[in-house]
Amino acid sequence: ESPATPLVRRLHARLATTVIAISRATAAPFEGARARVVQIHDGVAMPSVATGRTLGSPLRLTVVGAVDRNKGQDVAVRSAAMLIERGLDVTVDLVGPIPDPAFAGEVADLAGQLGLGSRLRWRGEVPDPDAAFAEADLVLVPSRGETLSLVAIEALARRLPLVASGVGGLLDVVRDGETGVLVPPGDARGFADGVAQIAADPRRADAMASRGREDVARRFDVRGSVEALRLEIERTLAEMGGPSGGAIR
């Protein structure tokens, strides 16, 4: 979060008539504000074909996101080492840019200390979500904080099993035990347990992934998000005496 964010929130709370929040977590700071607070999730374009597949060996764990402390790649590395100690054959793919080279160095050192070796792959930035998830068996979102998490939404849209931190906007995206598994942020053992549960019961994992895709199609399809935003803008303009009645297309 930028140091300027609290100031921006205070200005919005004082000056805005309507605030659009993408999750309960982003709406919470505006509680009691003069503005009407409307929650409209970010949406994604639903892929026509789900990429979810039978859990394999090795089990490919994928973390998508900029490599920085907030995204928790270190947690994923620790959990992978725990799974290997338990006898599970897993690999970890880190997909995303590296804005924090010092933290990336810490993650690489940690992986070396824990003996991951070639089981850890740095895939860098990829051009689109399909490429990011192309080789994933299971997606980890070990963030220490999230306003929503498009990564989690994109993974569920592709019918991929998901283990994520139960924090911030992820609580809006993932229905714990129904569409994915939520664990406390920073809890590497919890992530290892979540992955082990999914790996031990492929049929349950498949059913959970199917429910996840259906839930995203219902709640996070970008067409619904755009329409909800259009209607809210028209409503706000009408209250201000501006154009309304289908003026925005």
Side-chain angles (χ1 to χ4, degrees):
E1 182 174 282
S2 164
T5 299
L7 174 60
V8 172
R9 286 180 181 149
R10 288 197 295 272
L11 287 173
H12 283 166
R14 287 174 178 267
L15 302 177
T17 58
T18 303
V19 172
I20 306 296
I22 61 173
S23 65
R24 286 176 293 172
T26 55
F30 296 99
E31 186 175 347
R34 64 180 289 272
R36 181 175 69 249
V37 180
V38 180
Q39 189 172 314
I40 300 176
H41 293 308
D42 282 345
V44 301
M46 289 296 296
S48 58
V49 178
T51 56
R53 60 191 187 192
T54 303
L55 300 180
S57 181
L59 183 65
R60 295 176 176 175
L61 311 179
T62 298
V63 182
V64 179
V67 179
D68 64 39
R69 196 170 303 280
N70 183 62
K71 295 299 183 184
Q73 285 86 355
D74 56 320
V75 178
V77 165
R78 290 185 185 280
S79 66
M82 293 176 184
L83 289 164
I84 293 166
E85 285 182 0
R86 300 179 191 183
L88 270 72
D89 187 10
V90 303
T91 63
V92 181
D93 282 4
L94 302 183
V95 183
I98 303 179
D100 187 346
F103 176 70
E106 291 178 23
V107 173
D109 289 345
L110 177 63
Q113 293 165 14
L114 296 174
L116 261 63
S118 61
R119 291 177 181 268
L120 175 65
R121 292 199 306 169
W122 299 80
R123 289 182 51 201
E125 196 164 4
V126 296
D128 56 54
D130 286 335
F133 297 113
E135 299 182 35
D137 288 328
L138 190 153
V139 175
L140 304 182
V141 185
S143 303
R144 292 179 167 90
E146 285 287 353
T147 54
L148 185 64
S149 184
L150 286 175
V151 167
I153 296 171
E154 293 278 13
L156 292 173
R158 284 161 178 77
R159 203 173 161 276
L160 288 164
L162 178 74
V163 183
S165 299
V167 65
L170 281 161
L171 296 170
D172 285 10
V173 175
V174 184
R175 301 184 188 278
D176 188 28
E178 296 181 22
T179 64
V181 176
L182 291 176
V183 299
D187 184 359
R189 189 171 300 281
F191 271 87
D193 291 344
V195 171
Q197 290 170 19
I198 290 173
D201 193 345
R203 185 172 298 180
R204 176 173 177 261
D206 186 67
M208 190 181 294
S210 294
R211 288 193 297 268
R213 178 172 165 85
E214 292 167 2
D215 191 46
V216 166
R218 183 172 59 253
R219 298 195 296 133
F220 296 100
D221 189 305
V222 68
R223 293 169 296 183
S225 299
V226 170
E227 178 63 9
L229 183 59
R230 183 186 69 81
L231 292 173
E232 189 55 43
I233 292 172
E234 287 193 351
R235 174 180 174 176
T236 300
L237 288 173
E239 291 175 351
M240 297 171 63
S244 60
I248 300 175
R249 298 297 181 196

